[in-house]
């Protein structure tokens, strides 16, 4: 587990490299979601470059597609493509590594980023698995600001109706979105009660940036039968450096030279701390 914790900070360093080189990126959301993606891709999901065309592979949809830099960093680390190509070409003319997930890229199941689409599509994938007698699991990660989209709630309604226990949704609950705090823009109140009212098994992950807690939650979700599961992962936007943490203006921002030096220092220190306990 210590290695995965360190890996999450190594991936944050890759994200920073990508954003600085490409001169664009949704830095805050990348940093809040990276631990979730690390646990999913390196311990939970049956997905790799070797089985990416296997119909029985697990499926993942990055619904909050604007946090694509974190997604690409994880896929590169997993071996779907070369990290050097990602860093050197991201967001540049002619690059396949554009600012939202693109299914021309190995490992990406669907184009995403139009918020509200990921959960409904994942419901369809999970339902197809049930109808075809396949045992793969489907995972999707949404932003908490994304929950203002009505199609999300249609997805929650249908996921419960069809008893899709092969479906697990994750809400990156960092409480910030592009225009401010989520509770100011469109209040969620008690998300646990809302999701439960839609018939889902709900797991509240107190620290959604803690690999141990995430592991326990995903393992619990696998054991639930007869209903889908949603994890409320209480994360910190910009997690990794005080320069970025809990600051709304880091939703989409490229660090300047001074900020970059401090961010790199903070990430390196936290990575070392994770490696050595």
């Amino acid at each position: 587990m210590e290695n995965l914790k360190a890996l999450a900070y190594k991936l944050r360093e890759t994200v920073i490299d990508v954003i600085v080189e490409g001169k664009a990126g949704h830095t805050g959301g990348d940093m809040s979601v990276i631990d979730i993606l690390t646990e999913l891709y390196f311990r939970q999901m049956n997905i790799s470059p070797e089985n990416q065309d296997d119909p029985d592979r697990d499926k993942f949809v990055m619904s909050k597609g604007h946090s694509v830099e974190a997604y690409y960093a994880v896929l590169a680390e997993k071996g779907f493509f070369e990290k050097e190509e990602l860093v050197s070409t991201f967001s540049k003319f002619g690059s396949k590594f554009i600012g939202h997930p693109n299914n021309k890229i190995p490992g990406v199941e669907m184009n995403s980023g139009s918020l509200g689409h990921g959960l409904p599509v994942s419901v369809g994938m999970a339902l197809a698995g049930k109808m075809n007698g396949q045992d793969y699991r489907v995972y999707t990660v949404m932003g908490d600001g994304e929950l203002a989209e009505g199609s999300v709630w249609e997805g929650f309604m249908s996921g419960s109706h069809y008893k899709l226990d092969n479906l697990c949704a994750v809400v990156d609950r960092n409480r910030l979105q592009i225009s401010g705090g989520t509770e100011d823009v469109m209040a969620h109140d008690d998300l646990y009660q809302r999701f439960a009212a839609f018939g889902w098994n709900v797991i509240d992950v107190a620290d959604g940036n803690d690999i141990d807690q995430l592991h326990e939650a995903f393992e619990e979700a696998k054991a639930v039968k007869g209903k889908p599961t949603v994890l409320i992962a209480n994360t910190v936007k910009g997690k990794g450096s005080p320069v970025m943490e809990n600051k709304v203006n880091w939703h989409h921002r490229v660090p300047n030279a001074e900020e970059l030096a401090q961010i790199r220092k903070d990430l390196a220190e936290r990575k070392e701390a994770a490696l050595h306990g």
Side-chain angles (χ1 to χ4, degrees):
M1 287 191 182
E2 287 73 17
N3 287 340
L4 279 189
K5 292 174 184 178
L7 176 59
Y9 281 104
K10 176 186 175 184
L11 290 167
R12 284 180 169 93
E13 292 175 327
T14 300
V15 167
I16 291 297
D17 291 341
V18 169
I19 289 172
V20 169
E21 184 68 24
K23 298 181 173 60
H26 288 83
T27 315
D30 287 326
M31 298 297 167
S32 65
V33 79
I34 201 80
D35 305 286
I36 299 165
L37 299 180
T38 300
E39 173 65 24
L40 280 172
Y41 271 89
F42 293 94
R43 190 152 50 179
Q44 292 297 324
M45 294 196 302
N46 173 31
I47 181 65
S48 69
E50 291 72 35
N51 75 347
Q52 61 182 305
D53 297 320
D54 185 341
D56 292 320
R57 71 190 182 281
D58 288 338
K59 314 292 191 295
F60 175 79
V61 175
M62 186 68 167
S63 190
K64 51 170 287 180
H66 55 282
S67 292
V68 70
E69 299 85 15
Y71 188 22
Y72 286 165
V74 168
L75 290 175
E77 189 70 26
K78 189 75 175 177
F80 283 94
F81 45 79
E82 292 297 322
K83 185 187 300 184
E84 291 73 18
E85 181 187 5
L86 166 63
V87 174
S88 63
T89 70
F90 175 73
S91 200
K92 294 180 179 177
F93 180 76
S95 174
K96 63 186 177 183
F97 295 106
I98 57 177
H100 284 85
N102 164 24
N103 65 5
K104 301 299 182 185
I105 294 172
V108 177
E109 293 284 351
M110 65 168 281
N111 295 358
S112 61
S114 296
L115 299 177
H117 292 186
L119 181 61
V121 170
S122 297
V123 166
M125 291 177 172
L127 183 58
K130 290 288 189 183
M131 294 173 69
N132 293 335
Q134 295 169 279
D135 61 0
Y136 63 74
R137 291 184 61 77
V138 182
Y139 296 89
T140 185
V141 173
M142 299 173 285
D144 50 0
E146 182 178 0
L147 300 181
E149 294 282 357
S151 52
V152 169
W153 298 98
E154 294 178 40
F156 276 113
M157 185 165 53
S158 56
S160 171
H161 175 79
Y162 291 109
K163 298 179 172 54
L164 300 178
D165 51 19
N166 57 344
L167 173 62
C168 181
V170 185
V171 177
D172 182 13
R173 184 75 164 117
N174 59 40
R175 297 180 178 272
L176 289 174
Q177 57 192 97
I178 190 169
S179 47
T182 55
E183 303 314 292
D184 298 320
V185 177
M186 186 61 68
H188 296 324
D189 303 316
D190 189 334
L191 276 181
Y192 192 103
Q193 293 296 331
R194 289 191 178 195
F195 293 144
F198 273 75
W200 284 55
N201 176 56
V202 189
I203 303 173
D204 199 333
V205 185
D207 183 352
N209 295 119
D210 185 280
I211 293 284
D212 298 350
Q213 292 185 31
L214 289 167
H215 178 70
E216 183 178 335
F218 281 119
E219 289 298 310
E220 180 182 336
K222 286 180 180 177
V224 172
K225 301 302 178 186
K227 61 170 64 176
T229 293
V230 56
L231 274 57
I232 305 172
N234 293 282
T235 62
V236 175
K237 196 155 188 171
K239 176 73 173 181
S241 170
V243 173
M244 307 176 287
E245 289 176 349
N246 278 320
K247 296 177 181 177
V248 69
N249 63 331
W250 279 90
H251 179 86
H252 187 286
R253 180 169 173 172
V254 179
N256 60 36
E258 181 180 354
E259 292 166 338
L260 178 60
Q262 186 61 50
I263 290 168
R264 289 197 193 282
K265 179 175 182 291
D266 293 337
L267 292 178
E269 289 176 352
R270 295 193 188 189
K271 182 175 67 175
E272 282 301 307
L275 276 172
H276 300 106

